[in-house]
Amino acid sequence: MLKGRHLIEVNDFNLQELDEILTFAEKIVENPAKYAELGKGKLMATLFYEPSTRTKFSFESAMMRLGGQVIGFSDPKASSTSKGESLADTTQTIACYSDLIVMRHPKEGAPKWASKYSDVPIVNAGDGGHQHPTQTLTDLLTIRSLKGRLNKLTVGICGDLKFGRTTHSLVKTLSRYEDINFVFISPEELKIPKYIKDGLSKDAYKETDSLDGIMPELDILYMTRIQKERFFNEEDYLRLKGYYILDNEKMELAKSDMIVMHPLPRVNEIATEVDKDPRAVYFAQAKYGMYVRMALIAKLLGLEE
Ligand code: NCD
């Protein structure tokens, strides 16, 4: 039963519940118009303490496409946070007005903390360098729709695996499916955290810093940007930001049915020439993100199909 639940990290939901959300999302993809009134009379609040384009707009468009309405802020300076209000008080107040709260926060654990003060579901829309569960739902729907399965896959994850919260959520979740082999492709300084690797069996992953060397093996290449805002000094960022650049030449090394994913925003890690390659699916992925959020909102609010 998903009604009334919080979503702080993907592992809050079991595989059957994830399947329920994905299956509903697939139905919405087939016929979005059928669900245009499902959320009528419901109100979602988006509390964004950190910048966002896709996550905020896809949540808002998801709610509106369900016929619901949206309130919120995208700049905490414009809220009572600037007067010194605590997160707990802001949350309790907004929970009085809305049916669902979507929160992004620079501090790891903030949405979890907030969920203790909320009578309505809280959805974590990204907490610092920690987790980003709805990006992972987006990624799962994309993979299931375009590869036809969530098992038996070799998944290369490339870029800033240290600070990239989307990669942490994705690995933790995909590892719950069968026969998933990960290849973590990163510079030495940006390797995936130990706590994520500790959750995997030793033969389920390998680590490399060579993208070219591994390309031919991959079913999925998940590119990420270097997370500038989480670096302690500019110099390190500048040194690492051009480390991987996927271009058409590199794409020639890949399988003909490999897909390239990216949570976006892209900075320079995928050359725009790659966008025309049919294997580049990152904009389709953004669209799946809206549909899966429609399904998630409907399930958390207990809206009947
Ligand atoms: C990601 C994020 O915010 O973590 N963006 C997103 O929500 N699609 C990825 C990123 O910022 O690099």
Side-chain angles (χ1 to χ4, degrees):
M1 183 71 164
L2 289 163
K3 185 180 176 188
R5 299 262 297 274
H6 302 297
L7 174 56
I8 306 300
E9 54 177 295
V10 195
N11 290 2
D12 293 343
F13 294 169
N14 64 35
L15 290 185
Q16 202 186 329
E17 289 163 341
L18 290 179
D19 184 67
E20 202 184 306
I21 295 168
L22 297 176
T23 302
F24 188 32
E26 281 160 359
K27 282 193 197 163
I28 299 175
V29 170
E30 264 167 43
N31 186 5
K34 189 174 163 198
Y35 304 95
E37 306 259 303
L38 197 63
K40 215 170 163 194
K42 297 290 180 188
L43 190 61
M44 178 183 80
T46 50
L47 311 190
F48 275 61
Y49 293 86
E50 239 194 11
S52 166
T53 306
R54 260 147 307 275
T55 306
K56 185 164 181 296
F57 286 114
S58 71
F59 261 111
E60 293 177 348
S61 48
M63 188 56 168
M64 289 178 185
R65 283 175 188 273
L66 288 171
Q69 288 181 298
V70 178
I71 53 171
F73 60 76
S74 51
D75 181 357
K77 285 200 225 71
S79 78
S80 284
T81 306
S82 64
K83 299 181 189 167
E85 185 173 55
S86 69
L87 185 65
D89 284 1
T90 306
T91 305
Q92 282 185 82
T93 308
I94 305 296
C96 297
Y97 308 145
S98 60
D99 302 296
L100 174 81
I101 296 176
V102 179
M103 180 181 291
R104 169 170 287 193
H105 204 284
K107 283 211 184 89
E108 282 86 0
K112 189 179 172 102
W113 173 255
S115 70
K116 297 191 200 315
Y117 297 91
S118 174
D119 295 334
V120 304
I122 299 262
V123 176
N124 176 8
D127 60 330
H130 186 220
Q131 299 278 323
H132 192 345
T134 62
Q135 180 63 47
T136 298
L137 294 180
T138 300
D139 301 339
L140 294 183
L141 181 63
T142 306
I143 296 170
R144 198 161 105 159
S145 303
L146 301 179
K147 298 297 291 180
R149 63 184 190 277
L150 285 171
N151 55 8
K152 297 193 182 66
L153 292 163
T154 299
V155 184
I157 305 191
C158 177
D160 187 346
L161 311 188
K162 180 177 180 189
F163 297 116
R165 57 193 172 197
T166 61
T167 70
H168 305 161
S169 287
L170 182 61
V171 172
K172 274 187 95 170
T173 306
L174 268 184
S175 66
R176 296 160 73 196
Y177 293 87
E178 273 166 36
D179 268 333
I180 301 289
N181 293 298
F182 294 105
V183 186
F184 300 131
I185 310 151
S186 74
E188 184 61 32
E189 296 92 323
L190 298 177
K191 280 168 89 167
I192 195 133
K194 186 170 173 303
Y195 85 91
I196 300 284
K197 279 189 286 191
D198 285 348
L200 304 173
S201 73
K202 282 266 178 302
D203 53 2
Y205 70 92
K206 53 186 174 187
E207 293 178 277
T208 175
D209 77 344
S210 163
L211 178 55
D212 287 23
I214 207 72
M215 276 299 257
E217 291 179 32
L218 305 178
D219 298 311
I220 295 170
L221 172 59
Y222 195 95
M223 293 295 291
T224 62
R225 81 184 162 92
I226 308 293
Q227 305 278 304
K228 182 180 182 189
E229 67 276 34
R230 308 206 197 282
F231 270 67
F232 296 111
N233 70 67
E234 174 93 5
E235 219 174 278
D236 283 349
Y237 171 69
L238 293 174
R239 186 167 48 81
L240 292 167
K241 82 167 199 211
Y243 208 91
Y244 298 109
I245 296 180
L246 182 68
D247 56 14
N248 284 343
E249 206 182 315
K250 284 197 171 52
M251 286 297 286
E252 277 176 28
L253 305 169
K255 288 183 186 170
S256 60
D257 64 348
M258 184 194 77
I259 57 171
V260 184
M261 299 173 65
H262 192 309
L264 302 176
R266 149 174 70 187
V267 182
N268 62 348
E269 58 283 349
I270 303 181
T272 51
E273 65 182 19
V274 178
D275 298 0
K276 290 191 209 78
D277 191 308
R279 294 170 292 181
V281 305
Y282 26 89
F283 290 109
Q285 186 182 352
K287 192 155 187 179
Y288 283 120
M290 180 183 73
Y291 290 125
V292 90
R293 288 178 174 105
M294 287 173 76
L296 175 70
I297 293 168
K299 291 287 177 189
L300 297 184
L301 294 181
L303 306 172
E304 292 301 320
E305 286 179 38

